[in-house]
Amino acid sequence: MLPSALKKLIDELSRLPGIGPKTAQRLAMHLLRSPHQRIKPLGEALLSLKDGLAFCEECWHVTETSPCGICNDPAREKHQLCVVEDVLDVLAIEKTGKYKGLYHVLHGVLSPIDGISAEQLKISELFSRIDKHPEIKEIVLATNPSLEGEATALYINKHLNGRNIKISRIARGLPIGSDLEYADAATLGKALLNRTDY
Amino acid sequence: MLPSALKKLIDELSRLPGIGPKTAQRLAMHLLRSPHQRIKPLGEALLSLKDGLAFCEECWHVTETSPCGICNDPAREKHQLCVVEDVLDVLAIEKTGKYKGLYHVLHGVLSPIDGISAEQLKISELFSRIDKHPEIKEIVLATNPSLEGEATALYINKHLNGRNIKISRIARGLPIGSDLEYADAATLGKALLNRTDY
């Protein structure tokens, strides 16, 4: 019923995560109604996405040059390493303005159910990076406070134990602006256990 | 913090309706992790979307050839015309398999609040089409059962009144599988008013 060009676009859009066939149809119709000069930049951005884009061979953040801007920045603290799951986590932490050290992006978390083991992540790269750079004195484990994130943090902590490195885990507790009454028991329990001196 | 190619893609994605900056980031990261041969078809589909795609000059459905496949199909009933708001509505009605006539796509509805009047829609094209084709004997008004859809149906009905044409409106009532208890008063009222003989 639909022209093949439109059908192809709907097919390709519905392959994206979180976009079902109905949303894909709606997006395609929106694009069809848009002038060509509005669609062109998106098409070009997709086709040229991979050109000149790579992962930093130090921290595995996405970058145009390796080492990346953060690793190359002389103003960053070289003795701190923040271990995150994902490139977007680097952005989230950078936005806070509370961290001035370097990063290490794991590109995932340990998840035996999904068949993801340490080999598929940048964990061995983390260990060899620590070996190579004795100036690294603190590891901040900033994986998500989920089951897999905690397991990954635990795994890294276990492997680094015994070295002369301070290992910390980001605080888990009540989010700012939340309500004690509606907090889940695990979060509230953590908030009580990890209470800070006032 | 992000390479410009990635930032451009996030910007372009977040311009799509229903896709906020966070979803755009997530989609872009998914695309970045996908191999190039998975991204390429989407980019190409976008760039070539408008090539050879047009609107049928009879019914204003999207098509590669004008008149479109439906208008050209000798098996379709030429005396019936189903008036819909959108190209996707044609697909929805075709899927039912209950309609064998022709279509007329208005490309919108009358909406004074949004500044959309009859001139911006394919309404005058509908009237001249009916004038040109005296074989058209029935108009099925299948605009959405929303305020604007009802107003548009009313407007078309008023303008076609007095001609020797049967004008019908799609039934409004309880959807199949729904629960009387949870139906809104307007729908239930319509369902009672337009009850059919058993």
Side-chain angles (χ1 to χ4, degrees), chain A residues 139-152:
Chain A
I139 307 286
V140 182
L141 295 172
T143 52
N144 286 335
S146 61
L147 203 67
E148 291 86 4
E150 295 289 357
T152 309

Side-chain angles (χ1 to χ4, degrees), chain B residues 84-140:
Chain B
V84 292
E85 291 181 20
D86 216 326
V87 168
L88 293 181
D89 299 335
V90 174
L91 296 198
I93 294 177
E94 282 299 294
K95 231 181 229 168
T96 68
K98 299 287 184 207
Y99 181 72
K100 293 285 160 227
L102 302 179
Y103 290 95
H104 192 94
V105 184
L106 295 178
H107 287 280
V109 267
L110 295 174
S111 175
I113 291 174
D114 303 316
I116 295 174
S117 60
E119 289 77 48
Q120 277 127 293
L121 306 177
K122 302 295 178 195
I123 287 186
S124 65
E125 283 84 351
L126 170 67
F127 297 153
S128 59
R129 187 178 175 191
I130 293 167
D131 287 338
K132 226 174 74 187
H133 296 279
E135 70 270 24
I136 297 171
K137 289 292 169 222
E138 185 180 356
I139 307 286
V140 182

Side-chain angles (χ1 to χ4, degrees), chain A residues 1-6 8-10 12-13 15-19 22-23 25-36 38-51 53-55 61-64 70 76 86-88 90-92 94-95 107, chain B residues 1-6 8-10 12-13 15-19 22-23 25-36 38-51 53-55 61-64 70 76 86-88 90-92 94-95 107:
Chain A
M1 274 303 102
L2 283 180
S4 60
L6 195 59
K8 191 184 156 203
L9 180 62
I10 294 173
E12 290 298 331
L13 284 172
R15 279 198 190 150
L16 295 175
I19 294 185
K22 283 272 166 188
T23 312
Q25 270 190 2
R26 230 162 264 179
L27 285 175
M29 287 313 300
H30 168 85
L31 288 163
L32 186 67
R33 275 190 290 258
S34 310
H36 186 65
R38 283 294 304 276
I39 311 172
K40 218 179 130 206
L42 179 56
E44 287 172 347
L46 281 163
L47 289 180
S48 66
L49 176 61
K50 299 269 183 174
D51 299 345
L53 225 61
F55 291 106
H61 188 45
V62 66
T63 178
E64 279 156 332
I70 297 175
R76 311 284 307 204
D86 215 327
V87 168
L88 293 179
V90 174
L91 296 197
E94 282 299 293
K95 232 182 228 168
H107 287 278
Chain B
M1 276 303 103
L2 283 180
S4 60
L6 195 59
K8 192 184 156 203
L9 179 63
I10 294 173
E12 291 299 331
L13 284 171
R15 278 196 191 150
L16 296 175
I19 293 185
K22 282 273 166 188
T23 312
Q25 271 190 2
R26 228 161 267 178
L27 285 175
M29 287 313 300
H30 168 85
L31 288 164
L32 186 67
R33 276 190 289 258
S34 309
H36 186 66
R38 282 294 305 275
I39 311 172
K40 217 178 130 205
L42 179 56
E44 287 172 347
L46 281 162
L47 289 178
S48 66
L49 177 62
K50 298 270 183 173
D51 299 345
L53 224 60
F55 290 105
H61 188 44
V62 66
T63 178
E64 278 156 331
I70 297 175
R76 311 283 309 203
D86 216 326
V87 168
L88 293 181
V90 174
L91 296 198
E94 282 299 294
K95 231 181 229 168
H107 287 280

Side-chain angles (χ1 to χ4, degrees), chain A residues 70-82 94 98-103 129 135-138:
Chain A
I70 297 175
C71 288
N72 252 348
D73 187 351
R76 311 284 307 204
E77 307 274 4
K78 306 285 185 210
H79 70 277
Q80 275 186 328
L81 215 58
C82 181
E94 282 299 293
K98 299 284 184 209
Y99 181 71
K100 294 285 161 229
L102 301 180
Y103 290 95
R129 188 178 174 191
E135 70 270 24
I136 298 171
K137 289 290 168 224
E138 185 181 354

